[in-house]
Amino acid sequence: MQDIVVVGAGLAGLTAARVLTRAGLRVRVLEASGQVGGRVRSYTRQGFTLDAGYQVLFTAYPAVRRQLDLGALDLVTIAPAAVIRRGAQSHKGAQSQTMADPFRDPASLLPTLGANALSVGDKLRVARLALAIKSGPAHALLNGPDESTRAFLIARGFSAASLQNFFGPFFGGIFLKRDLTTSSRLFRYYFRMLMDGQIALPRAGMGRVADQLADGLNVSLNVRVERLVQSGRGVSVVTNLGELEAERVIVATDPASAARLLEEAAPALESVPSSYLYYTSGTTAHAQPRLLLNAEDGLINNAQWLSRAVPGRAPEGQDLLVVSVPGRPAPGQREMTDSELDAAVRAELAGWYGADVSQFSTLGTERIAHAQFAQAPGYAARLPGHATPLPGVLRASEITSMSGIQGAMESGEKAAAILLQDPVGMSRPRGG
């Protein structure tokens, strides 16, 4: 009999299991797929190292700092800069402009000062906003009055051009919604994370994060949990390979699977899908390390030549471009096939790179139906807690906090703290 069974080997489940195992409990993690990490996973294809979609690690995340050995991840810091891209026929004829933090990317100072994607007034407003957000503990930014990020920025005098050229595509890459309807609390929190730490990627892929969390744990792959049954000794975990008995269970799966196991309605949180396309080419002059933001309407939100940002992600003599296409089709439009999506994205890339796009090879397309959940103003009041309708069963998932790495890991920590009756862990604020 196990002390604890954790259902799901995503970041929430692995973090919970890690904390409990270190506390001396017997913990077994059951994962339905053949790999740990959930959405945070990596794989190789034709010699290229790919992540599931486009992901980065914010080193300032409090849960990351508590649970991960960042030095052992072989992190490569991503330049704190972005290139704002427009098509060849774009406004004022400026096809690309660089915006960056010149204190951490000194080479970007002159291009940033000369860029008109943000007016001088908007640049000053960014500086004032940074000073305001920097004061006080980061987790406090998740409290207080809430409104959309768009309303928050407009109220502080930011121009419509700044929302279109920078804030929309940049934070659209974080929230997968470039319309800036996401909670301003979250916007401020992520802005603070950007200031307090680095943006980085493990050289061998984001899957290294999950691998490190799983190291030393008792994880069984390809084990699907079919139902949970109350028993005299605790909880009987019925799987495709038989039954396990546990004193307590933590359900750390995707929202739909959790609802099935917990025999409850799925949380009323909208899933935000996203698609990612991977392109390769021979070494090209177009490739550069900075994040590319699409300042025009279209499918592409952002893109990055990962082969230049993270050396070693592509075979020698090759370049790798990852393109992010968040969201779903507009009402009344059907979902594109992979080939149709590829053709439409190539047409937009041709506005950046011209006929050279014909030399790009499509390495693959990945569609993630639940990449995040929508986090509109006031969303936190609608989040489920760790308690569930089943005695002896807790929930661990980003849906108890915020969508993303910090939310998943802190939820796992909190579920473990509840079982351990750890007052420090149980009282830790969201985002703290």
Side-chain angles (χ1 to χ4, degrees):
M1 183 174 182
Q2 296 291 321
D3 293 332
I4 311 291
V5 165
V6 177
V7 184
L11 296 193
L14 292 174
T15 302
R18 180 184 180 88
V19 173
L20 293 167
T21 298
R22 288 182 166 184
L25 297 181
R26 293 171 301 162
V27 183
R28 185 171 178 184
V29 182
L30 306 180
E31 169 56 40
S33 74
Q35 188 175 355
V36 300
R39 300 193 304 274
V40 182
R41 54 186 170 81
S42 304
Y43 54 95
T44 58
R45 182 176 295 172
Q46 298 179 27
F48 295 86
T49 299
L50 308 178
D51 294 328
Y54 176 75
Q55 304 182 57
V56 294
L57 183 67
F58 287 14
T59 62
Y61 283 145
V64 162
R65 291 182 170 181
R66 288 189 292 270
Q67 299 298 330
L68 294 176
D69 179 355
L70 294 178
L73 287 175
D74 189 18
L75 294 176
V76 178
T77 300
I78 305 300
V83 175
I84 298 171
R85 294 295 318 223
R86 299 182 178 93
Q89 306 302 320
S90 64
H91 178 58
K92 297 184 181 178
Q95 193 173 15
S96 67
Q97 298 182 26
T98 298
M99 297 294 301
D101 177 353
F103 294 101
R104 290 193 281 183
D105 187 5
S108 70
L109 174 60
L110 291 179
T112 298
L113 290 175
N116 61 15
L118 289 184
S119 68
V120 173
D122 284 327
K123 291 171 187 175
L124 292 174
R125 292 180 193 100
V126 169
R128 285 198 296 268
L129 179 61
L131 286 174
I133 288 176
K134 187 67 174 175
S135 63
H139 66 80
L141 297 169
L142 294 171
N143 301 319
D146 203 5
E147 60 188 329
S148 73
T149 297
R150 175 175 292 276
F152 175 84
L153 293 171
I154 291 174
R156 280 150 186 80
F158 284 96
S159 68
S162 72
L163 273 58
Q164 172 74 19
N165 294 337
F166 177 71
F167 288 107
F170 185 84
F171 284 92
I174 295 175
F175 300 126
L176 305 182
K177 292 173 74 71
R178 65 181 288 152
D179 58 6
L180 298 175
T181 57
T182 301
S183 161
S184 63
R185 293 177 181 174
L186 277 177
F187 164 78
R188 291 179 294 154
Y189 182 79
Y190 277 89
F191 200 120
R192 176 66 177 269
M193 292 296 101
L194 288 165
M195 290 191 291
D196 285 356
Q198 303 290 338
I199 305 172
L201 281 168
R203 194 180 304 274
M206 282 293 288
R208 290 293 301 130
V209 172
D211 291 341
Q212 189 181 108
L213 288 174
D215 186 39
L217 301 182
N218 180 8
V219 180
S220 298
L221 301 176
N222 300 306
V223 179
R224 175 181 170 80
V225 175
E226 297 174 346
R227 63 184 184 278
L228 303 174
V229 181
Q230 301 301 308
S231 69
R233 303 176 62 189
V235 182
S236 180
V237 182
V238 182
T239 79
N240 60 320
L241 300 180
E243 294 188 22
L244 294 173
E245 294 293 328
E247 292 183 7
R248 306 290 291 272
V249 170
I250 296 176
V251 174
T253 67
D254 62 90
S257 298
R260 175 181 58 81
L261 289 175
L262 298 173
E263 299 178 356
E264 63 179 7
L269 298 168
E270 174 195 358
S271 289
V272 180
S274 192
S275 299
Y276 304 89
L277 295 92
Y278 308 95
Y279 295 102
T280 69
S281 73
T283 303
T284 172
H286 297 304
Q288 63 135 308
R290 294 187 176 97
L291 180 68
L292 307 173
L293 302 179
N294 183 16
E296 297 187 316
D297 294 333
L299 292 170
I300 298 174
N301 182 76
N302 58 278
Q304 188 156 38
W305 290 95
L306 273 185
S307 51
R308 298 303 177 94
V310 187
R313 288 292 190 98
E316 187 174 353
Q318 296 287 309
D319 272 316
L320 170 65
L321 175 68
V322 180
V323 177
S324 300
V325 181
R328 54 174 52 88
Q333 293 183 348
R334 67 174 179 83
E335 189 86 29
M336 291 184 186
T337 65
D338 285 358
S339 60
E340 290 171 337
L341 182 60
D342 179 32
V345 167
R346 283 175 174 273
E348 292 186 17
L349 289 174
W352 296 1
Y353 302 131
D356 290 352
V357 171
S358 64
Q359 304 301 313
F360 294 0
S361 298
T362 305
L363 187 61
T365 300
E366 178 152 10
R367 297 174 186 262
I368 301 177
H370 179 81
Q372 286 192 17
F373 61 85
Q375 299 166 105
Y379 84 96
R382 301 189 297 274
L383 297 178
H386 289 78
T388 76
L390 301 181
V393 180
L394 291 177
R395 182 194 338 267
S397 167
E398 63 179 13
I399 63 169
T400 69
S401 177
M402 67 185 89
S403 204
I405 291 173
Q406 169 66 25
M409 291 182 66
E410 74 173 38
S411 182
E413 289 179 322
K414 185 68 68 70
I418 293 170
L419 293 183
L420 295 171
Q421 290 296 291
D422 169 19
V424 174
M426 288 190 292
S427 62
R428 185 177 293 126
R430 192 167 63 96

